[in-house]
Amino acid sequence: MTALPSLPSLRAFEAAARLGSFQEAAEELSVSPTAISHHIRGLEAQLGEKLFLRRVRQVHLTDEGERLAHGVSKAFRILESSVSSIASQRRKTKVRIAMGPSFATRWVLPRFNEFCEQFPKVDLELVQTPLLVSPQNVDADIFITWGDGIFPGMKSEPLVNIKTVPVASPSLLKRLGHPKNPSDLLHYPLIHQRDTLGWNAWFETAAVQSETPLSGPIIEDTNVVLQAAIAGQGIVMGWIPLIDEELKSGALVQLFDAALSEHRAYYLVRREAGPRESEVNSICRWLAEQSADQLLKLAAR
């Protein structure tokens, strides 16, 4: 069985045959023209055949060279295809998802391990966005935002609907007693998120009228509001299902059935088309399925 020529000599021959020039082959392979000539002379000596007709500025294949070039070129294409196929299996697609810190902490991160198992070829990057930023101004493939679903020039679908209920920690209820009816809450320490509108709207839903403006600290960050409630600092308006884990664990207790249904929701927003459209659509379907599963679990309680 005839020994195969070395891979460097075959690579030098293939490049020179394809380009018709030792000089251009040397530039493509980042070696000197002398190295190309040395490889080809060694190949010709091993095969006992002249493969090129040398000219001043060009080289031309002999009949034997043409025959060898056809086989070598085909072999390299097969080899490159196999290497590319293996490399592509390991390559990950980077997908950026933008959202606020509260939603990321309370809804996305608890599902992070499941996401990694479902999308092993996706390199996920979570991007934190400020409140009320427009999706059009965010560099992300998927945007999860609180709103009314109207995002011009973007595709959107509801992801998580929210209802708000008053919640408190067991330690606060042990200290101050459990309120017997919604109007009793007017005499408890209330904590507001961003403004007093949430509590005002809930009292209206519960048919409670207040003769004086509501008092209590106003805190911007949702996570800080909930931590204050868990620490027994006051009663807050909790967002279901984002406080699902706290209710299940008993860290927070829902005080009354009366709930305020928000006219807005968390939406999945993305561009009409993009470079990673297939992955983005698959991720959005998975997120929507996660939301549907959570609703079923809540209804089954």
Side-chain angles (χ1 to χ4, degrees), residues 69-212:
H70 176 75
V72 169
S73 177
K74 183 177 180 181
F76 272 115
R77 299 294 84 77
I78 293 172
L79 182 59
E80 289 170 358
S81 177
S82 298
V83 171
S84 177
S85 175
I86 293 173
S88 66
Q89 290 178 2
R90 299 182 60 187
R91 194 179 301 124
K92 287 190 173 185
T93 300
K94 184 176 181 179
V95 175
R96 289 166 59 89
I97 304 181
M99 69 195 76
S102 296
F103 193 84
T105 301
R106 303 195 153 272
W107 202 88
V108 174
L109 290 185
R111 295 167 171 79
F112 191 72
N113 286 337
E114 292 179 55
F115 178 93
C116 293
E117 292 175 3
Q118 183 71 23
F119 300 98
K121 294 184 179 180
V122 171
D123 190 4
L124 179 64
E125 181 177 349
L126 298 183
V127 183
Q128 181 176 324
T129 57
L131 184 67
L132 301 180
V133 66
S134 173
Q136 293 92 332
N137 299 326
V138 177
D139 180 18
D141 302 291
I142 301 171
F143 190 90
I144 300 177
T145 186
W146 176 252
D148 56 9
I150 301 174
F151 306 99
M154 310 283 280
K155 294 169 64 176
S156 69
E157 59 184 289
L159 177 62
V160 176
N161 291 304
I162 296 293
K163 64 178 183 178
T164 53
V165 296
V167 294
S169 71
S171 63
L172 181 142
L173 297 177
K174 182 178 180 180
R175 187 173 78 249
L176 301 179
H178 199 297
K180 294 180 172 56
N181 54 68
S183 62
D184 290 344
L185 293 182
L186 294 172
H187 308 293
Y188 280 71
L190 304 180
I191 296 176
H192 308 272
Q193 183 178 345
R194 300 193 184 99
D195 52 46
T196 62
L197 297 178
W199 270 111
N200 282 324
W202 183 83
F203 278 125
E204 184 177 343
T205 298
V208 174
Q209 293 185 346
S210 175
E211 297 179 357
T212 59

Side-chain angles (χ1 to χ4, degrees), residues 256-279:
F256 298 102
D257 291 334
L260 179 65
S261 296
E262 299 286 343
H263 68 280
R264 294 180 293 174
Y266 280 101
Y267 277 82
L268 273 175
V269 185
R270 57 196 185 277
R271 290 172 176 78
E272 293 289 345
R276 293 166 288 277
E277 187 173 6
S278 176
E279 289 85 356

Side-chain angles (χ1 to χ4, degrees), residues 224-252:
V224 176
V225 170
L226 290 173
Q227 285 305 313
I230 292 171
Q233 299 300 311
I235 300 176
V236 306
M237 296 301 300
W239 286 22
I240 294 176
L242 299 188
I243 60 168
D244 188 39
E245 289 303 316
E246 285 79 5
L247 294 176
K248 281 170 54 179
S249 68
L252 291 174

